[in-house]
Amino acid sequence: MTNQRRSGSRAIAVFLAFALVQVFIQLSFAAPAPGPAVPQQFIARLTTTGNQPITVNNASAASGASLLTGATIETPAAVSATIDLGALGTIELQPNSSIQLDFDDSGNVRVKVLRGCVKINKKGPGVAEAYTAEGASEKTNSNRSGLGFCYLNGGLNPVGQTAAVVGGGAGGEGIGTATLVAILAGGGALAAGLIWAFHGGGGNPSPH
């Protein structure tokens, strides 16, 4: 009887051990494989002229503020701002400008120009795009890493052309289109007057 009990206990022990091994094997196959690490949301940093406040999403913000994708940034008169995108580059806003900024973990940067002028210095992977609600769009490529445009009648006017007209730097406010037209019109009128005067139009009528 004693030997039979021992044999029975050993059989039960072997069976339990086998059952436990099977359970562990099934659990190991059922466990989900480790997935890719979820990247942390990218955060941009803001710097303003003289640490003066600007507006981000209708709230006041100054140097050191964090910017998440989808933010709307507005600069007042005489205050410019720089958005540091780290390895992706920088974005510069001139005074009296407004943009909506979107970026992703793949390095793509989209800037919707709502008002004023913006410069984009793109680095790293991805593509930078400046665009307007009216459909104008400019993008970076392998030969073009920088974009600089001003919003004008729904389009994008190169910043360089604006600076050449006003003869100022990036921080100048420039002159309006109406003022430029008036200057050109005045110059044309002056030239016409000089031609008329030197070709007899300005002399006294000859006596008969």
Side-chain angles (χ1 to χ4, degrees):
M1 292 294 295
T2 302
N3 291 334
Q4 291 179 352
R5 288 180 181 177
R6 289 179 179 177
S7 298
S9 299
R10 289 176 181 174
I12 293 173
V14 170
F15 174 78
L16 291 176
F18 178 79
L20 288 174
V21 169
Q22 293 300 315
V23 170
F24 282 119
I25 292 175
Q26 294 298 325
L27 289 176
S28 65
F29 279 109
V38 179
Q40 295 181 349
Q41 187 173 20
F42 188 82
I43 298 177
R45 299 294 179 184
L46 177 67
T47 302
T48 64
T49 303
N51 197 30
Q52 299 181 66
I54 65 171
T55 302
V56 176
N57 294 333
N58 297 320
S60 179
S63 296
S66 300
L67 302 177
L68 298 178
T69 183
T72 299
I73 304 103
E74 302 177 63
T75 56
V79 180
S80 59
T82 299
I83 301 168
D84 186 0
L85 297 171
L88 301 184
T90 59
I91 297 174
E92 300 176 19
L93 271 72
Q94 293 190 8
N96 285 323
S97 299
S98 177
I99 66 168
Q100 177 182 314
L101 175 61
D102 294 279
F103 47 84
D104 58 35
D105 293 321
S106 298
N108 299 307
V109 177
R110 301 186 75 234
V111 177
K112 184 177 183 179
V113 186
L114 305 173
R115 184 183 72 248
C117 303
V118 60
K119 289 184 178 181
I120 304 173
N121 179 27
K122 184 69 175 71
K123 298 179 181 178
V127 176
E129 178 186 12
Y131 69 102
T132 69
E134 291 79 4
S137 174
E138 297 284 347
K139 295 182 179 181
T140 59
N141 52 48
S142 58
N143 298 319
R144 186 191 195 190
S145 60
L147 301 174
F149 293 96
C150 297
Y151 180 91
L152 180 63
N153 298 326
L156 293 171
N157 190 52
V159 172
Q161 293 183 8
T162 304
V165 170
V166 302
E173 294 184 2
I175 57 177
T177 303
T179 304
L180 180 60
V181 171
I183 293 173
L184 295 176
L190 177 60
L194 291 174
I195 293 172
W196 178 79
F198 281 102
H199 285 270
N204 294 324
S206 58
H208 294 285

